[in-house]
Amino acid sequence: MTPSSSSRGAVLALLATIIIWAYSWVVMKQVLQHAGPFDFAAIRYVLGALVLFGVLLVTKQSLRPPPLLPTALIGLCQTTAFQGLGQWALVSGGAGHVALLAYTMPFWAVLLAWVMLDERLTSRRWLGLGLAAIGLTCVIEPWHGLGGVRSTLLAIGAGFAWAMGTVLSKHVFQRHAPSPLSLTAWQMLFGALGLVVVTLCVPQRPIDWTWGFIGGLAYSVVFASSIAWGLWLIVLHRLPTAVASIASLGVPIVSVLLAWAILHEQPTSMEILGIAFILLGLVAVSGIRLRGGRAARG
């Protein structure tokens, strides 16, 4: 495979990943007609973990777990809290709105890395955080009395939990160098067990095992949690990390558009303005700038 064909393949993988993950937020909203938020999240990630362990077996990789305590903490943050809070936010919040706020993760990751990993906050990152704050204010619109405050806070909390899991993962990779697939499978298993505990403790509506629910579950497990994850590894392997990270911001944007088209969740003018500020902030945080028509590290 030539470098140009490899890059084209990575770009196609990236586009497919964006579409799959963006549509998954619409699916996650739709399945709430058939099941409680925690029931769905628990079933999804128990099955998702089994799929990943199956991949480990097929690829003949070691089933030995990474260090258990940090891996369990990653699972509780990245799967239990992120997915649980995100699914809960969808009960009262729109799919596009929740996806947009959950994808503020990079901002929280920058702040947490500053505190926990002693990563320096450059002037560019401070600028990005400031732009993000403006964007969040536009999306939340506090001057309207915070009518959807629960959904908003849950979605932001989901993004923060995802960021915590990301920073903890980086720490584990630096100290123990596990394979990405192994760490992902084991943290998902621990996170899924956490969701099972939540499900057993929180009363929810009975599950309607309709074709709509089964189809949504199948999409979430097979496409969003398995195929898209594999495509994302291809993207990270063949494209610069910063470019892939910025391009992945297409997920919440496409989610907003799909929610508008499918769920009739029309974004307000302030939400659109907030999206623009958040995107500018993420570009600043990533350190990407354009030189002679190509992306480069800042």
Side-chain angles (χ1 to χ4, degrees), residues 11-41:
V11 170
L12 290 175
L14 177 60
L15 292 175
T17 303
I18 289 172
I19 293 170
I20 291 171
W21 278 343
Y23 183 57
S24 72
W25 288 94
V26 174
V27 171
M28 288 162 63
K29 177 71 175 180
Q30 291 175 323
V31 297
L32 290 173
Q33 302 172 31
H34 309 287
F38 304 118
D39 282 338
F40 172 73

Side-chain angles (χ1 to χ4, degrees), residues 131 134-136 138-139 268-280:
L131 291 170
I134 295 173
L136 280 174
C138 292
V139 171
T268 66
S269 57
M270 289 305 298
E271 283 180 322
I272 294 172
L273 182 61
I275 289 171
F277 272 107
I278 289 172
L279 286 176
L280 288 173

